[in-house]
Amino acid sequence: MNIIEFEPVGRRGKCPENESLLDSARRLDVDIVRLCNGVGVCGRCKVQIITGEVSPISPREKEVLTGKEAERNYRLACLTHPLGNVKVHVPPESLTAPQRTQVEGLELDVPPAPSFQSVSVELAPPTIEKQLADETNLMDALNRAGACARSFDLEALRRMPPLLRAENWRARAAIRNGEVIAIETASTRWCGMAVDIGTTKIAVYLVDMESGKTLASRGLMNPQISYGEDVVSRISSAIRSVENADKLQALLVEALNETIALLCADAGVDRRGVVDAVIVGNTAIHHLFLKLPVSQLGLAPYVPALRSEIDVKARDLGLEIAAGAYVHLLPNIAGYVGADHVAMILGTRLADAAGVTLAIDIGTNTEICLNKRGEMASVSCASGPAFEGAHIKHGMRAAPGAIEHVSITGGRPAVQTIGGEPPAGICGSGLLDAAAQMLLNGVMDSSGKILPHPKVRVREDGMKEFVLAERPGKDDITLSQKDIRELQVAKAAIRLGIRALMEEMGVVKQEIDEVIIAGAFGTFIDVESAIVIGMLPSLERERFRQVGNAAGTGARLALVSLAERLQAAATASRIRYIELAAISEFNQKFAESSYFGA
Amino acid sequence: MNIIEFEPVGRRGKCPENESLLDSARRLDVDIVRLCNGVGVCGRCKVQIITGEVSPISPREKEVLTGKEAERNYRLACLTHPLGNVKVHVPPESLTAPQRTQVEGLELDVPPAPSFQSVSVELAPPTIEKQLADETNLMDALNRAGACARSFDLEALRRMPPLLRAENWRARAAIRNGEVIAIETASTRWCGMAVDIGTTKIAVYLVDMESGKTLASRGLMNPQISYGEDVVSRISSAIRSVENADKLQALLVEALNETIALLCADAGVDRRGVVDAVIVGNTAIHHLFLKLPVSQLGLAPYVPALRSEIDVKARDLGLEIAAGAYVHLLPNIAGYVGADHVAMILGTRLADAAGVTLAIDIGTNTEICLNKRGEMASVSCASGPAFEGAHIKHGMRAAPGAIEHVSITGGRPAVQTIGGEPPAGICGSGLLDAAAQMLLNGVMDSSGKILPHPKVRVREDGMKEFVLAERPGKDDITLSQKDIRELQVAKAAIRLGIRALMEEMGVVKQEIDEVIIAGAFGTFIDVESAIVIGMLPSLERERFRQVGNAAGTGARLALVSLAERLQAAATASRIRYIELAAISEFNQKFAESSYFGA
């Protein structure tokens, strides 16, 4: 028996030597994708061996894995056996949905350079002969200890006198730009919070500000969704009444406060030690969160109220963290290219890329940035909520029972659901796979028209639909002609965005050295399928990199390092914004982009 | 008929030439004190002739007025007749109570040097080709116009987009330390607010920040009084529960918000243009207003949570003024010598005095500062609420019907009431007069014991009382032995405070060049009476100066000029605090101080 440990899920246990890593994972409740049921066909169960000896690489793995992957010790879990104790990293794309959240992303690689100083002091208690005010007493001690404290946050000040007395005149202070923003016990571990607020989902990270390590993270739904799936409906709602605008802000704040409480409990820290926060989101979300007016975002020329980065007292937003903590919001670029895009660029190091790199953050709204040897431009495209399963008859979010992968073999569709449960619907990655497979297997043509096929039937209303999964006694799960049209619009928007950027900057496809796919959804799509239907440019699979929530990574980088905030501000100023609606022959180009096919 | 104008009350009208200024004042409803009913005896109707010709000075006036007063054109209103149009200044001590509020004080004499820059701009509206964010647009324009704007207050930012559009892209901004704290219409007149919060009364001033002129002022009662007359009971109350502490703060804020609204209406300005505020109060009031913990103020060694000056966002306190305005609170000196004392020192220019000067701010708590050729020390003494009429059987505040002045002629008391109404009770200045007259006329001895006298009677409970005013059909207004004891404690506290300072600094009485009496109450007392009973040192009347609400003046100085704030901070650091309770032989000295007599 060997001890196998799966990261970052953090499960470990004893497993027999003759068991594949895939089976060991299942034994330990780590849900790795097993579309082909562990026979080495689908190639979806890629894992990275971190430490320990495993069986030699098989010929099938050599076919499926790229050279770079093999080099970095990637293996197919179904074809790999342990030869001793092994530590395995399961990349997010190899996990089924219940365990993969929108918080996965690149690890941080910068030395912490936080926005505050931390200073511990021990004070002399005042006496009747030396009636030193607490504040004077503390300030003197801080400055003697090398701090540069000049002013005091009111909330921190309110907290200080009882704390000093309870803690026998010992305390730790956080000082930011000369302002004492928190006074806590001498053993306090200062933390920070990085938040990526997406239109649909929110990722929250609790970070140790001394080490820069992420202590805990959580993903949650954006509760504003009750005011509309897309930002345009939320903007309309906020414009309609002040109450709506208040509510839209309050919903976010409540959700964040709850999540901070959970994360602090997860990590065993006190929320009063959370002294810094970085929050990113698209421009509309950013404005709604700050309760800035949004009318001007909804009308031409669609300008933000605020472009620059801003530091706001957490309490002014209702966030319950350290007494005098500030929240830093990264800069926006334009009305529809926001701080989350800046964070994504930061998190992917796109601005530092040497050649020609395209970075795509796919979501309800998709932002794309092209870096052509240092010259950078971005567009925004309204890809809509189809990838979240909305407006698709059997669509659903990536939850247990959702069809996440589809293949058609011998004319018959095979589906893989999240958690291996009976199919309940289809999520975004399943949709991409299904469309690609339908195209490759002649179930539809490149115009998106569903063709006659044994699995295609005509509904009573005359609409054609392709049967993905039969469910005796229940509605079969199908993709209708209308569903295909929805997907078509989403993929056309992204395709057109990429084309517009390339044309604007004079880049041809083969010049593109790398395509970075960011965002929770982008992490789980099958790139091949996305190429097949023409959503992504047809380039060698090696040139693509799926990085998970890069905006979350960028937010964490900006949290732990002031240098990263400066970098973000500099990058935001440097990016040219291209208004997609203003490109020449928009309608014609949009129509062209809607064709399926690489 | 001549036109007579009375300042600062601001009444003017036609008056016959043969009428005294005192009678003209009465005709115009300006209530000047007339204790002797206008026959030149009491010397209380002093006024200053500002412009115009009046009758030559009479021999009686030469007796009553000091040389300095005569030099500065002071006259007795009852003996002076106009010889043409005349402008008359009525000093606060010559007004009866209903018109004298706690807002009277010295006029400001400093050039405005406000804490913010004011910059007006006109912006180019954004276009689809140039989608400039409002904030970027404004910042660029401000900095082109010579401002130094780097950051933006969130509330100001929220207000900006609709304002810019409504005002056709013209606006005026207030910028403080690089932060845009307000954006208003181009015609906005920036104002400031200076507030002196006393234990009993509050004075609020609305000041034009460009000219430094006071536009309007109002006095009001401190609503915290429902939680106790003195600060000690309010401290106890705040310690008992968080709700009490919240309420004590909320009461002040509500009262201030109402008063600001009234003052803005008085002056015809918008409260959103009130971009700065300076607030002073004693240490307990200062802490209750900031909702700082007060437990440590109530227990030895009685230390403040905060000594230094502080700038706090007005919204963090609930004050409804300009979007991003700050409130500046002057520094405290010790637990019982607060920011109001610093303001008083600023307002009286005590720190600049060349010789030996004593400044006394009489109130429920009395603070005294002695400047001995640049060396400064302060004490605080708990004089209690007797001067406000509390704990005195027939005591009342200075309101219509209150006996404010007393004389005894031929053994019979004569009283002057506020507003000339039938006597309803006795206020602080009346109390001092009564005690002095009782002492001078053998109604009590220097130990404070009431002696046999035709107007002294013995009550059923055996207590002696002196009848001040008979009221047929009603209780007579009397001063009992117990009332005298209350007064005695109050005056002893002040006397001891003065003595402790003089001993500590090695000053003898004749060295004192000037005694400044500040505070609303101090303005209206008869200095002679205070000397007679031994509350104030017996010095020539010329050495005394009654300056009205000097703390209010100091607050206004700090409001209009940053240099004054620096001066206040420097002064506060320089003052030595002497703890009265810690002086040697306290009990013995207190007993000595309680004796009546100069």
Side-chain angles (χ1 to χ4, degrees):
Chain A
M1 299 284 264
N2 302 306
I3 293 175
I4 314 292
E5 186 173 341
F6 291 95
E7 295 291 354
V9 184
R11 298 250 164 76
R12 54 182 293 163
K14 287 182 181 170
C15 302
E17 220 157 271
N18 61 350
E19 192 176 75
S20 73
L21 289 177
L22 187 65
D23 290 333
S24 300
R26 177 188 278 176
R27 169 195 304 278
L28 298 171
D29 288 327
V30 176
D31 293 326
I32 296 179
V33 176
R34 43 193 310 138
L35 190 51
C36 69
N37 213 15
V39 298
V41 173
C42 72
R44 289 291 169 84
C45 60
K46 283 175 198 165
V47 297
Q48 187 181 17
I49 309 304
I50 301 172
T51 55
E53 286 283 304
V54 293
S55 57
I57 193 158
S58 63
R60 172 64 191 151
E61 286 174 281
K62 285 188 180 156
E63 280 175 51
V64 172
L65 297 167
T66 67
K68 211 172 180 180
E69 282 172 342
E71 209 171 89
R72 291 163 67 204
N73 259 338
Y74 271 85
R75 299 291 297 271
L76 293 184
C78 64
L79 298 180
T80 307
H81 296 255
L83 300 178
N85 296 346
V86 176
K87 194 171 197 174
V88 181
H89 173 74
V90 186
E93 63 273 20
S94 297
L95 284 171
T96 60
Q99 285 179 349
R100 62 191 198 204
T101 62
Q102 56 272 34
V103 298
E104 312 282 347
L106 305 174
E107 249 322 300
L108 307 187
D109 57 353
V110 296
S115 63
F116 61 92
Q117 274 183 292
S118 171
V119 180
S120 295
V121 283
E122 184 167 356
L123 311 183
T127 60
I128 196 88
E129 290 73 35
K130 202 165 182 197
Q131 299 183 348
L132 222 48
D134 288 0
E135 161 261 345
T136 317
N137 201 346
L138 184 81
M139 286 297 214
D140 289 354
L142 287 175
N143 291 328
R144 270 198 311 270
C148 183
R150 290 183 311 270
S151 68
F152 226 117
D153 174 72
L154 182 58
E155 274 297 336
L157 201 51
R158 286 174 178 161
R159 190 159 159 67
M160 172 188 54
L163 184 101
L164 287 179
R165 286 164 182 81
E167 294 292 319
N168 210 15
W169 302 91
R170 290 146 65 94
R172 177 167 292 169
I175 302 142
R176 178 189 159 118
N177 289 339
E179 179 189 6
V180 179
I181 56 170
I183 306 281
E184 293 298 334
T185 59
S187 62
T188 299
R189 184 175 180 187
W190 299 122
C191 292
M193 177 175 82
V195 184
D196 169 30
I197 310 179
T199 307
T200 309
K201 289 172 189 163
I202 301 177
V204 187
Y205 306 83
L206 184 71
V207 178
D208 180 316
M209 294 302 288
E210 206 175 303
S211 67
K213 292 266 174 282
T214 303
L215 300 176
S217 61
R218 281 182 177 251
L220 60 152
M221 298 302 294
N222 184 332
Q224 293 179 322
I225 211 144
S226 55
Y227 284 76
E229 273 166 355
D230 53 42
V231 293
V232 173
S233 24
R234 294 181 210 169
I235 288 175
S236 309
S237 183
I239 294 170
R240 263 200 305 282
S241 78
V242 176
E243 290 70 38
N244 285 351
D246 287 350
K247 188 70 190 166
L248 278 158
Q249 202 255 350
L251 281 171
L252 276 183
V253 170
E254 281 161 29
L256 291 182
N257 281 337
E258 278 167 30
T259 308
I260 301 162
L262 294 171
L263 286 173
C264 287
D266 290 348
V269 298
D270 187 331
R271 67 195 298 161
R272 282 188 289 220
V274 180
V275 282
D276 202 2
V278 168
I279 295 186
V280 304
N282 63 49
T283 310
I285 295 285
H286 165 284
H287 277 41
L288 291 171
F289 180 63
L290 291 178
K291 224 196 288 176
L292 291 173
V294 288
S295 331
Q296 80 291 338
L297 271 185
L299 285 169
Y302 315 104
V303 294
L306 172 64
R307 197 201 64 80
S308 305
E309 66 277 17
I310 192 171
D311 291 295
V312 175
K313 281 269 173 193
R315 64 167 165 269
D316 280 347
L317 300 170
L319 283 179
E320 293 158 4
I321 51 174
Y326 286 85
V327 173
H328 181 85
L329 287 102
L330 292 185
N332 294 309
I333 292 171
Y336 286 89
V337 179
D340 55 349
H341 189 62
V342 176
M344 183 273 274
I345 292 170
L346 196 65
T348 56
R349 299 301 190 207
L350 178 63
D352 307 330
V356 177
T357 307
L358 189 66
I360 308 178
D361 196 342
I362 307 175
T364 313
N365 210 74
T366 297
E367 294 90 26
I368 311 168
C369 184
L370 183 60
N371 180 352
K372 181 192 173 189
R373 292 178 276 277
E375 187 192 341
M376 296 172 81
S378 293
V379 291
S380 165
C381 28
S383 38
F387 296 134
E388 297 290 339
H391 305 177
I392 303 296
K393 192 184 175 198
H394 289 278
M396 66 180 288
R397 294 191 202 291
I403 295 171
E404 54 172 351
H405 292 297
V406 176
S407 62
I408 299 179
T409 326
R412 295 179 53 194
V415 302
Q416 151 111 21
T417 64
I418 294 173
E421 299 194 14
I426 186 163
C427 67
S429 58
L431 207 56
L432 283 190
D433 274 12
Q437 291 291 312
M438 286 165 75
L439 196 68
L440 291 174
N441 290 276
V443 187
M444 73 174 181
D445 68 14
S446 64
S447 76
K449 189 178 159 196
I450 295 182
L451 303 172
H453 182 273
K455 290 287 177 187
V456 168
R457 63 195 186 194
V458 179
R459 294 197 318 222
E460 278 185 11
D461 63 359
M463 189 175 289
K464 277 185 270 190
E465 58 182 20
F466 176 67
V467 181
L468 276 171
E470 286 170 27
R471 297 193 299 177
K474 270 189 183 171
D475 256 21
D476 292 339
I477 295 178
T478 61
L479 274 186
S480 72
Q481 185 65 65
K482 184 178 158 296
D483 295 336
I484 296 292
R485 295 301 176 210
E486 287 286 342
L487 173 66
Q488 209 163 6
V489 169
K491 87 106 198 166
I494 295 172
R495 179 61 186 260
L496 178 58
I498 296 170
R499 175 174 171 187
L501 271 179
M502 289 169 64
E503 287 182 3
E504 187 71 29
M505 301 184 74
V507 165
V508 297
K509 195 177 70 179
Q510 278 308 325
E511 276 183 280
I512 300 173
D513 298 300
E514 188 173 39
V515 179
I516 297 170
I517 303 173
F521 172 69
T523 304
F524 303 115
I525 63 171
D526 188 82
V527 170
E528 211 52 60
S529 294
I531 294 173
V532 164
I533 65 166
M535 184 170 99
L536 297 179
S538 68
L539 290 165
E540 300 87 318
R541 180 62 188 83
E542 292 254 335
R543 300 203 195 176
F544 289 86
R545 185 154 62 100
Q546 285 163 284
V547 295
N549 188 344
T553 302
R556 281 183 291 157
L557 287 168
L559 176 65
V560 300
S561 165
L562 276 186
E564 296 290 325
R565 293 187 197 180
L566 289 176
Q567 166 85 20
T571 301
S573 306
R574 179 178 149 197
I575 290 174
R576 184 149 57 100
Y577 169 67
I578 292 164
E579 172 65 50
L580 205 54
I583 63 168
S584 65
E585 299 171 320
F586 174 87
N587 289 340
Q588 154 107 26
K589 288 178 182 165
F590 190 88
E592 287 166 17
S593 301
S594 70
Y595 271 79
F596 286 115
Chain B
M1 297 286 261
N2 303 306
I3 293 175
I4 314 293
E5 188 172 341
F6 290 96
E7 295 293 353
V9 185
R11 299 251 164 77
R12 55 183 292 164
K14 287 182 183 170
C15 302
E17 218 156 274
N18 60 349
E19 194 175 71
S20 73
L21 289 178
L22 186 66
D23 290 333
S24 299
R26 175 187 278 176
R27 171 195 305 278
L28 297 171
D29 289 326
V30 176
D31 291 327
I32 295 179
V33 176
R34 43 192 310 136
L35 188 52
C36 68
N37 212 15
V39 297
V41 172
C42 72
R44 291 288 170 84
C45 62
K46 283 175 198 168
V47 297
Q48 188 182 17
I49 309 304
I50 301 171
T51 54
E53 286 282 304
V54 293
S55 56
I57 192 159
S58 64
R60 172 63 190 152
E61 288 174 278
K62 284 184 181 158
E63 280 174 51
V64 172
L65 298 168
T66 67
K68 210 171 181 182
E69 283 173 341
E71 210 173 87
R72 291 161 70 202
N73 257 339
Y74 271 86
R75 299 292 298 271
L76 293 185
C78 65
L79 298 180
T80 306
H81 295 254
L83 299 177
N85 296 345
V86 176
K87 193 173 200 172
V88 180
H89 172 73
V90 186
E93 64 273 20
S94 298
L95 284 171
T96 61
Q99 284 181 349
R100 61 193 200 202
T101 62
Q102 55 273 33
V103 298
E104 312 282 346
L106 305 173
E107 250 319 302
L108 307 187
D109 57 353
V110 296
S115 62
F116 62 92
Q117 273 185 293
S118 171
V119 181
S120 296
V121 283
E122 185 165 356
L123 312 182
T127 60
I128 198 88
E129 289 75 33
K130 199 166 185 195
Q131 298 182 347
L132 222 48
D134 288 0
E135 162 261 346
T136 318
N137 201 346
L138 183 80
M139 285 296 213
D140 289 354
L142 286 175
N143 291 329
R144 272 199 310 272
C148 182
R150 292 182 310 270
S151 67
F152 226 117
D153 173 74
L154 182 59
E155 273 297 333
L157 200 51
R158 285 173 179 163
R159 190 158 160 67
M160 172 188 53
L163 184 103
L164 287 178
R165 286 163 181 81
E167 295 290 319
N168 210 17
W169 302 89
R170 291 147 62 94
R172 175 167 295 170
I175 302 141
R176 177 189 160 118
N177 289 339
E179 178 188 8
V180 179
I181 56 168
I183 306 281
E184 295 297 333
T185 59
S187 62
T188 299
R189 183 178 180 185
W190 300 121
C191 292
M193 177 174 83
V195 185
D196 170 31
I197 311 180
T199 308
T200 309
K201 291 171 187 165
I202 301 176
V204 187
Y205 306 82
L206 183 72
V207 177
D208 181 315
M209 294 302 288
E210 204 174 305
S211 68
K213 292 265 173 283
T214 303
L215 299 175
S217 62
R218 281 181 178 251
L220 61 149
M221 297 304 295
N222 185 331
Q224 293 179 321
I225 210 144
S226 56
Y227 284 75
E229 273 166 354
D230 53 43
V231 293
V232 173
S233 23
R234 292 181 211 168
I235 288 174
S236 309
S237 184
I239 294 171
R240 263 198 308 282
S241 78
V242 175
E243 291 69 36
N244 285 350
D246 287 351
K247 188 66 189 171
L248 277 159
Q249 202 255 352
L251 281 171
L252 275 183
V253 169
E254 281 161 29
L256 291 182
N257 280 337
E258 278 168 28
T259 308
I260 300 162
L262 293 171
L263 287 173
C264 286
D266 289 348
V269 299
D270 187 330
R271 67 194 299 159
R272 282 190 288 225
V274 180
V275 281
D276 201 3
V278 168
I279 295 186
V280 302
N282 63 51
T283 310
I285 295 285
H286 164 283
H287 278 42
L288 291 171
F289 181 63
L290 290 179
K291 226 197 287 177
L292 291 173
V294 287
S295 331
Q296 79 292 338
L297 270 186
L299 284 170
Y302 314 106
V303 297
L306 172 63
R307 198 201 63 81
S308 304
E309 66 277 17
I310 192 172
D311 291 294
V312 174
K313 282 270 176 193
R315 65 168 164 267
D316 280 346
L317 300 171
L319 283 178
E320 293 159 2
I321 53 175
Y326 285 84
V327 173
H328 181 84
L329 286 100
L330 291 186
N332 294 310
I333 292 172
Y336 285 88
V337 179
D340 55 351
H341 188 62
V342 176
M344 184 272 276
I345 292 170
L346 197 65
T348 57
R349 299 304 190 205
L350 179 63
D352 306 329
V356 177
T357 307
L358 189 68
I360 309 178
D361 197 342
I362 307 175
T364 312
N365 211 72
T366 296
E367 295 92 25
I368 311 169
C369 184
L370 183 60
N371 181 351
K372 179 193 174 187
R373 290 178 278 274
E375 188 193 340
M376 294 171 82
S378 292
V379 291
S380 166
C381 27
S383 38
F387 297 135
E388 296 289 341
H391 305 176
I392 303 295
K393 190 181 176 201
H394 289 279
M396 67 180 286
R397 294 191 203 291
I403 294 171
E404 55 172 350
H405 291 296
V406 176
S407 62
I408 300 179
T409 326
R412 297 179 52 194
V415 302
Q416 151 110 22
T417 64
I418 294 172
E421 297 191 16
I426 186 164
C427 67
S429 59
L431 208 55
L432 282 190
D433 274 12
Q437 291 289 311
M438 286 165 75
L439 196 67
L440 291 175
N441 289 275
V443 186
M444 71 174 184
D445 66 15
S446 64
S447 77
K449 188 176 160 199
I450 297 183
L451 303 171
H453 183 273
K455 288 288 174 187
V456 168
R457 62 196 186 196
V458 179
R459 293 194 322 217
E460 279 183 11
D461 63 358
M463 190 176 285
K464 274 183 272 189
E465 58 182 22
F466 176 66
V467 181
L468 277 170
E470 287 169 25
R471 297 193 299 178
K474 270 190 183 171
D475 257 18
D476 292 338
I477 295 177
T478 60
L479 275 185
S480 72
Q481 185 66 64
K482 185 178 158 293
D483 294 339
I484 294 294
R485 295 300 176 211
E486 287 284 344
L487 173 66
Q488 210 161 4
V489 170
K491 88 106 196 163
I494 295 174
R495 179 60 186 262
L496 178 59
I498 296 172
R499 177 176 166 184
L501 273 179
M502 288 169 64
E503 287 181 3
E504 188 71 30
M505 301 185 76
V507 164
V508 296
K509 193 177 73 178
Q510 277 307 324
E511 276 183 281
I512 301 172
D513 297 301
E514 189 173 38
V515 180
I516 297 170
I517 303 173
F521 172 68
T523 305
F524 302 117
I525 63 169
D526 189 80
V527 170
E528 210 54 56
S529 295
I531 293 173
V532 163
I533 66 165
M535 184 170 100
L536 297 179
S538 68
L539 290 166
E540 300 86 320
R541 180 66 186 81
E542 292 253 339
R543 299 204 196 173
F544 289 86
R545 186 155 61 100
Q546 286 163 284
V547 296
N549 188 345
T553 302
R556 282 183 290 158
L557 286 168
L559 176 65
V560 301
S561 164
L562 276 187
E564 296 290 326
R565 293 186 197 180
L566 290 177
Q567 166 84 21
T571 300
S573 305
R574 181 179 146 194
I575 290 175
R576 184 151 57 99
Y577 168 66
I578 293 165
E579 173 67 48
L580 206 52
I583 64 168
S584 64
E585 300 170 319
F586 174 85
N587 289 339
Q588 154 107 26
K589 286 179 182 165
F590 190 85
E592 287 166 15
S593 299
S594 70
Y595 271 77
F596 286 116

